[in-house]
Amino acid sequence: GEPLFLPQGECVPLTEDNVQALLAACRIEIGTMFGYTAENRGVGITGGVDYVEMDGPMVVVTLKGRFWHQRPTVLARVGAYIMGRIPEVVDVIVYDEYELSDEVNNAAA
């Protein structure tokens, strides 16, 4: 969907559409963490974050590709971005804890 750009502290209600729109904006605003630009892909950063589901007030995402930053750091930044704009979200978690390992990051293309 379309990105929803909001300054931290400006809030929207917890809906699946709002979460996905904020996640799209997050990919752009903290884009240096991800592999969505040719420049980042050129230096081997291919990492991305995708929405999986909402589990009550928790947002579940999946991390894919290779990140320069440690994956728990990426997840924390994405979580802070979303929770700073949707206060009802209590946590942003990964679908599978294994996604946070260095092993997965190092094996990614």
Side-chain angles (χ1 to χ4, degrees), residues 23-89:
L23 190 56
C26 176
R27 290 182 189 118
I28 296 165
E29 284 203 28
I30 59 173
T32 56
M33 298 194 96
F34 304 112
Y36 294 112
T37 65
E39 181 181 7
N40 286 4
R41 288 190 302 274
V43 294
I45 300 170
T46 60
V49 59
D50 290 321
Y51 173 81
V52 176
E53 65 185 359
M54 287 190 332
D55 183 5
M58 294 194 303
V59 173
V60 182
V61 297
T62 185
L63 300 177
K64 62 183 182 189
R66 181 177 291 141
F67 296 91
W68 175 263
H69 299 80
Q70 289 191 311
R71 285 170 168 242
T73 302
V74 174
L75 180 64
R77 290 281 306 276
V78 170
Y81 189 93
I82 292 173
M83 291 186 289
R85 291 156 180 84
I86 304 179
E88 299 103 310
V89 173

